[in-house]
Amino acid sequence: MTSSQKNRMKSRYHNAHSVSLCAGHSGVTGGTGFIGSHCVVELIQANHSVTVISNLANSVSASDFIDTLCKKYCVKKFIFSSSPAVYGKPIKFPIKEEYATGVGITNPYGKSKYMIEKILNDITLIDKEWKIISLRYFNPIGAHPSGIIGENPTEIPDQLMPFIIQVLKRKLPYLTVFGNDFETPDGTCIRDYIHVVDAARGHLSALNRIANGKCGGFEMYNLGMGKGHSVMEIVKAMQYATGKNIPIKMMPRRLGDVPCLCCDPTLAAKNLSWKTTFTLEEMCRDVFNWLKKNPNGFDDEEKQELKQG
């Protein structure tokens, strides 16, 4: 495994989470992470009582979640935070849930998500009381519009927006762009980005489907805008939102990167009554708002007190 792959796994697993439902109470594993914290806010605003489960360092593993939390507290209904990486290298776009998974996956992160989905599907086949929804959401970025919570990368990131954040904070001298010779209009990779609040609301919509008795066992949904933006489009949008120049260094393609990765969110709109509401400009605006209000991320004294309870 390359150092880049290790960083990718460490970064994303830190933010991995699930949302469970037990007797009207919601538990969020990884609830202090980027996406998990926004899920907690949306659940509270929807009048859910919430318990956050996190060790502030690594997310709860799938085996720990099932063996300890689910069995001990009889939790059989939850939302799993998955990824479009389970699709490997799709041959058609936009990606639909019916497309094959597990074939041509190019990184350990995607393989782990695929294996967990298989385990969860098998559980629902064995025991019909289990109701699980897997959300394959595409590149959440942004921050809460209040500017109170957002993404706080602490190491050299492997995703675009955290990398840009580090450059804007002057912790890195430039943004490394891997590849400008893809079969796309400007030569850089195209990805489907969604606002983190839209992603969090997707979890709430999925939880409501389970609570209303509409989930058929194991279900999976794509969460995305249904259209993509290139690396350079994101860079230009962030430069416009911040009024700052973002230095760039072009590098060769990374092994496993595909030119375009966008989803078809039709099924989520139909069954979850969910769709994106934030534009790319609003995503970038909220990132900058978070940066202005929290130049040191969660490292100041007040934020440390919040982390320590």
Side-chain angles (χ1 to χ4, degrees):
M1 186 186 303
T2 66
S3 59
S4 176
Q5 287 174 327
K6 290 178 180 178
N7 285 337
R8 187 179 304 188
M9 288 185 70
K10 187 173 183 179
S11 173
R12 294 199 181 190
Y13 274 115
H14 177 72
N15 290 323
H17 66 279
S18 64
V19 180
S20 59
L21 182 67
C22 182
H25 186 88
S26 298
V28 183
T29 64
T32 58
F34 175 46
I35 302 166
S37 60
H38 287 80
C39 287
V40 171
V41 170
E42 293 301 316
L43 286 165
I44 292 173
Q45 289 181 338
N47 296 319
H48 284 249
S49 57
V50 181
T51 296
V52 174
I53 305 164
S54 179
N55 63 9
L56 296 174
N58 297 296
S59 65
V60 179
S61 70
S63 58
D64 286 343
F65 179 76
I66 294 172
D67 291 340
T68 304
L69 298 176
C70 292
K71 289 182 179 180
K72 182 176 181 179
Y73 297 102
C74 198
V75 174
K76 294 187 175 183
K77 300 175 181 179
F78 62 88
I79 314 303
F80 174 62
S81 169
S82 190
S83 164
V86 300
Y87 292 111
K89 288 187 176 181
I91 59 175
K92 294 182 180 180
F93 295 96
I95 301 170
K96 297 183 179 181
E97 289 86 351
E98 64 198 55
Y99 289 1
T101 58
V103 180
I105 298 177
T106 56
N107 58 71
Y109 172 75
K111 290 178 182 178
S112 68
K113 291 292 189 182
Y114 169 72
M115 289 188 289
I116 295 171
E117 281 196 358
K118 294 291 289 183
I119 292 171
L120 298 179
N121 182 52
D122 288 345
I123 290 173
T124 62
L125 293 176
I126 295 171
D127 187 342
K128 300 300 181 181
E129 290 186 2
W130 287 76
K131 306 296 179 184
I132 304 170
I133 291 179
S134 179
L135 297 180
R136 300 165 178 168
Y137 45 79
F138 285 60
N139 303 291
I141 61 175
H144 195 272
S146 67
I148 296 175
I149 55 175
E151 192 160 18
N152 184 42
T154 57
E155 299 179 354
I156 297 178
D158 204 42
Q159 294 86 43
L160 179 58
M161 189 58 76
F163 210 131
I164 291 175
I165 290 173
Q166 295 288 54
V167 174
L168 290 171
K169 287 183 174 182
R170 298 184 178 180
K171 292 186 177 181
L172 293 173
Y174 51 78
L175 169 67
T176 303
V177 177
F178 295 97
N180 62 351
D181 58 350
F182 289 95
E183 298 77 20
T184 62
D186 64 20
T188 60
C189 286
I190 292 175
R191 296 292 182 265
D192 195 336
Y193 295 90
I194 62 171
H195 197 290
V196 63
V197 173
D198 277 333
R201 290 172 181 171
H203 288 72
L204 181 60
S205 296
L207 206 62
N208 288 338
R209 179 172 173 81
I210 292 177
N212 293 332
K214 296 181 179 180
C215 179
F218 179 76
E219 297 179 352
M220 69 290 294
Y221 296 95
N222 292 330
L223 298 187
M225 293 185 73
K227 64 178 182 179
H229 296 282
S230 73
V231 172
M232 291 310 301
E233 286 178 320
I234 298 294
V235 171
K236 290 176 182 178
M238 278 301 293
Q239 289 183 150
Y240 179 80
T242 63
K244 300 178 182 293
N245 180 56
I246 299 173
I248 292 173
K249 181 179 180 180
M250 287 291 179
M251 294 291 287
R253 300 185 186 190
R254 294 179 299 189
L255 180 65
D257 277 346
V258 296
C260 180
L261 202 58
C262 303
C263 79
D264 181 347
T266 303
L267 190 62
K270 177 183 177 182
N271 289 353
L272 304 182
S273 299
W274 176 92
K275 64 179 181 180
T276 58
T277 59
F278 291 85
T279 65
L280 174 60
E281 291 72 24
E282 289 169 329
M283 298 179 210
C284 295
R285 173 205 66 192
D286 290 341
V287 170
F288 187 45
N289 184 42
W290 154 253
L291 289 175
K292 287 190 298 182
K293 292 184 176 181
N294 306 272
N296 298 315
F298 291 112
D299 292 334
D300 59 60
E301 294 182 2
E302 182 179 355
K303 297 294 190 305
Q304 287 296 330
E305 289 177 2
L306 287 174
K307 287 174 66 176
Q308 295 169 6

